[in-house]
Amino acid sequence: MNLNAFKFGLACAVSTSLIWVVCSFLVLVLPKIMLSISGDMFHMQLANIGWHLNIIGALIGLAFWVVATGFTGWLLASIYNRLL
């Protein structure tokens, strides 16, 4: 079964954008809890750092991750199709 590499990459990009928006919203609404969770995920103590979230930074991050995951999804599907 071949995967459509473009559609798979697009699905990755859309999924990432949804997760990014939800995560950014949670950082905005619950900054201390999200900082604690992020520190736990990276095995680091981040309590003294704090968030510096603004709309421009959130949009730049969104654009970067959408492009990066879209390309990665396309690449994975392309490699998968060649391995069949």
Side-chain angles (χ1 to χ4, degrees):
M1 174 180 106
N2 275 349
L3 294 174
N4 183 318
F6 176 78
K7 287 183 179 179
F8 188 80
L10 185 60
C12 290
V14 170
S15 299
T16 298
S17 68
L18 294 174
I19 292 168
W20 182 267
V21 169
V22 168
C23 186
S24 294
F25 176 76
L26 289 173
V27 167
L28 185 65
V29 175
L30 305 166
K32 289 186 180 187
I33 293 172
M34 293 304 291
L35 193 60
S36 176
I37 291 170
S38 296
D40 292 341
M41 288 170 43
F42 290 108
H43 310 287
M44 298 172 66
Q45 181 55 263
L46 301 176
N48 297 329
I49 295 174
W51 294 111
H52 302 285
L53 179 66
N54 60 44
I55 191 70
I56 299 299
L59 292 175
I60 290 170
L62 173 65
F64 170 79
W65 282 110
V66 165
V67 170
T69 57
F71 174 76
T72 302
W74 170 84
L75 183 62
L76 284 168
S78 296
I79 292 169
Y80 174 83
N81 288 337
R82 283 172 178 72
L83 292 174
L84 290 179

